[in-house]
Amino acid sequence: MKHLLHIPLGVPILILIWFLAGHSGAINPLILPKLEAVTQSLASQLATMALWEDTGMTAFRALSGLLLSASLGIPAGLALGYFPNLYRHIALPLDFIRSIPSATLFPVFILAFGIGNPAKIAVVFYGCFFIIVVAAVYGGRGHPDRQKRIATLRSLQASQLQIFRLVVVPDAMASILGGLRIAASIAFVLVVVTEMFLGANNGLGKRIYDFYLGYRIPELYAALLVLGLIGYATNISIERLEHFYKAKQTTGGQ
């Protein structure tokens, strides 16, 4: 009973609205199918290996691009934030490149990587990299309290690497994790679009597009629910990481 109290109120309300809308006849079932039809389709799809394989491929492509962009974007952004003179030289080309939508560069990615997984991961990487860089830049920028701690460490003969590790990185983590949460959502959006339009043989995007072409709307909505759940799980994982880090900071890293 206690666990039921922790269910967000919006979930049962949304389910009720969907159920009533589907049975009212006011909405075309091609736009919003009945809830029962979607749940039946979801149950039948979950019983097949094809759905699990498609889900795994979509998650692999999205998370590969996200992790690659984080591994390169976080140190790059921290360096640009910590060294403002360097950022002033990079800001214009950085803002110019990140203003170009990933979708417009599909032909470039196809020419460079073909139509396999590398192209799809590259699209995700491009879309997430600059989000993470900007978040890390803001986290790496100095402020009065940080400057006092840096001055204290310098008086103790601390090296630049020690200052970076002990002060800059911990201070920037909140901003970085916020950027990661945004980038994670973008990663799944981009990978689904690439699976729809870059000649994928599998993945949730391919599955959703095939259902759309066949007017199999309950099946389409069931696949969308799976996609939403894995995106939600990724977001919750990053949020838990953020809470863990804040708790560690509160307890002094013990």
Side-chain angles (χ1 to χ4, degrees):
M1 184 66 181
K2 182 185 291 187
H3 293 295
L4 292 176
L5 296 177
H6 293 288
I7 297 176
L9 188 60
V11 174
I13 291 176
L14 183 62
I15 292 174
L16 179 61
I17 291 174
W18 189 351
F19 178 82
L20 295 175
H23 284 270
S24 68
I27 300 178
N28 190 329
L30 287 177
I31 299 174
L32 183 68
K34 290 183 178 180
L35 179 61
E36 306 94 294
V38 174
T39 54
Q40 288 173 7
S41 174
L42 178 60
S44 64
Q45 289 186 59
L46 287 172
T48 66
M49 280 302 299
L51 176 64
W52 294 102
E53 290 171 357
D54 286 342
T55 302
M57 286 307 302
T58 295
F60 167 74
R61 291 161 181 158
L63 295 179
S64 295
L66 179 64
L67 291 174
L68 183 60
S69 62
S71 64
L72 297 178
I74 291 173
L78 286 175
L80 291 173
Y82 187 62
F83 300 105
N85 289 331
L86 176 61
Y87 180 72
R88 277 194 288 271
H89 293 289
I90 300 295
L92 194 152
L94 180 69
D95 289 339
F96 175 81
I97 295 172
R98 74 185 183 91
S99 298
I100 302 173
S102 298
T104 63
L105 296 177
F106 280 0
V108 176
F109 291 120
I110 293 174
L111 289 173
F113 301 103
I115 59 173
N117 283 336
K120 297 171 179 60
I121 293 172
V123 171
V124 175
F125 169 80
Y126 178 87
C128 296
F129 176 76
F130 296 103
I131 295 173
I132 294 172
V133 166
V134 171
V137 165
Y138 279 99
R141 286 178 174 172
H143 52 76
D145 179 62
R146 180 188 297 176
Q147 295 306 117
K148 290 178 183 178
R149 283 180 285 146
I150 290 175
T152 302
L153 286 175
R154 282 177 177 161
S155 69
L156 297 173
Q157 306 300 314
S159 66
Q160 283 285 4
L161 183 60
Q162 289 174 319
I163 291 172
F164 204 75
R165 180 173 61 86
L166 296 174
V167 178
V168 178
V169 174
D171 280 4
M173 283 304 296
S175 178
I176 290 171
L177 289 171
L180 274 175
R181 290 181 66 181
I182 298 172
S185 299
I186 298 296
F188 282 98
V189 170
L190 290 173
V191 81
V192 167
V193 172
T194 60
E195 289 172 350
M196 287 180 172
F197 303 114
L198 288 188
N201 294 320
N202 48 32
L204 289 175
K206 174 70 162 54
R207 175 176 287 260
I208 290 168
Y209 193 61
D210 287 345
F211 288 150
Y212 159 74
L213 293 177
Y215 286 93
R216 298 168 63 184
I217 307 304
E219 290 89 342
L220 185 153
Y221 270 77
L224 288 174
L225 287 177
V226 173
L227 180 63
L229 286 173
I230 62 172
Y232 176 74
T234 303
N235 183 71
I236 288 297
S237 299
I238 299 174
E239 186 178 4
R240 292 283 173 86
L241 181 62
E242 188 175 2
H243 289 327
F244 171 78
Y245 178 77
K246 288 180 178 178
K248 189 175 180 180
Q249 290 293 102
T250 303
T251 58
Q254 298 178 352

